[in-house]
Amino acid sequence: MIKIESFAVGMLGCNCTVVWDEESKEAVVVDGGDGVERVVPFLNERGLRATHLVHTHAHIDHIGNVAGLRDQTGGAALLHPGDLPLYRALAMQASWLPMYETPKIIDLDGDLRDGQILSVGSARLTVLHTPGHTPGSVCFAIEGGEQRTILSGDTLFAGSIGRWDLGGTSMEDIVASIHRKLLDFPDDTRVIAGHGPDTTIGTERNTNPYLQ
């Protein structure tokens, strides 16, 4: 059985999602880099082993303490290479947000590529490169659970889209990515966004003002 659970972590309320296979106890942690103090107990309480620590993009609230999370879980830390410059600039990001300490930068364990498939037991997470919020933003399409699910990071929100004014992208980029990579999914596809409530592809297709 494949299970998916999300919970808000960190001072900016990033939605971290854990996807795991109940039989193998293997798990993927998505955007857990600002929530070591919540993610590690979550995994330990369920007897899960994190094989991958993946990130929808490299803003500090999604990846800031991936060094600590990797140290405590042993999972491989992965990011799309388009966001490596942003990851290496975490100290600058921390300077914009006084609540953050300067994070430790590590050499990540590999890249996320468009179309790549990550496996945890019988679950499959397909990487969808969706530039717009950042150059290397990705979403993850999950197959194998009770309901088809997309983890949209800060690309698509309930009733809105992510910011595009933070460097190197445009509104046209993010809208084009959503149309090209996400709106082909069926209307009943669950969407877990990087912040805020869940939604569905059908709801956003029909009501999101940026997609009309």
Side-chain angles (χ1 to χ4, degrees):
M1 179 184 294
I2 303 307
K3 292 196 172 182
I4 304 170
E5 286 198 33
S6 294
F7 44 91
V9 299
M11 291 169 281
L12 298 183
C14 168
N15 286 332
C16 168
T17 301
V18 181
V19 183
W20 75 94
D21 181 293
E22 268 290 293
E23 183 174 352
S24 69
K25 296 296 184 179
E26 292 182 344
V28 173
V29 179
V30 182
D31 287 346
D34 201 22
V36 176
E37 72 288 342
R38 289 203 62 191
V39 174
V40 172
F42 181 95
L43 296 172
N44 290 342
E45 288 165 8
R46 291 158 181 79
L48 303 178
R49 179 174 66 89
T51 59
H52 298 86
L53 311 173
V54 301
H55 306 88
T56 59
H57 62 290
H59 282 148
I60 194 169
D61 53 324
H62 292 253
I63 198 174
N65 193 18
V66 66
L69 190 59
R70 189 177 69 176
D71 284 347
Q72 295 196 44
T73 66
L78 308 177
L79 179 71
H80 190 280
D83 266 16
L84 281 175
L86 191 58
Y87 173 67
R88 294 178 183 129
L90 281 180
M92 180 177 66
Q93 294 188 50
S95 72
W96 299 338
L97 300 164
M99 73 281 286
Y100 280 97
E101 297 179 359
T102 300
K104 178 182 177 182
I105 307 297
I106 58 173
D107 291 330
L108 301 179
D109 300 298
D111 295 335
L112 296 172
R113 300 284 185 180
D114 189 47
Q116 178 181 355
I117 297 176
L118 304 173
S119 298
V120 280
S122 59
R124 301 290 182 269
L125 285 78
T126 301
V127 179
L128 308 172
H129 183 210
T130 51
H133 180 61
T134 64
S137 284
V138 301
C139 300
F140 298 95
I142 304 171
E143 302 285 349
E146 295 180 359
Q147 180 182 11
R148 183 184 285 106
T149 301
I150 290 174
L151 309 181
S152 66
D154 288 4
T155 294
L156 178 63
F157 296 126
S160 189
I161 62 175
R163 291 181 63 174
W164 57 85
D165 59 340
L166 299 174
T169 57
S170 67
M171 184 177 75
E172 289 76 16
D173 290 334
I174 196 169
V175 170
S177 286
I178 293 168
H179 278 282
R180 185 174 65 252
K181 292 295 182 68
L182 303 185
L183 294 190
D184 281 346
F185 285 86
D187 281 355
D188 63 352
T189 303
R190 178 189 182 193
V191 177
I192 301 175
H195 301 267
D198 292 0
T199 183
T200 66
I201 288 294
T203 298
E204 300 314 307
R205 187 197 317 279
N206 295 319
T207 65
N208 191 308
Y210 291 94
L211 304 180
Q212 306 309 307

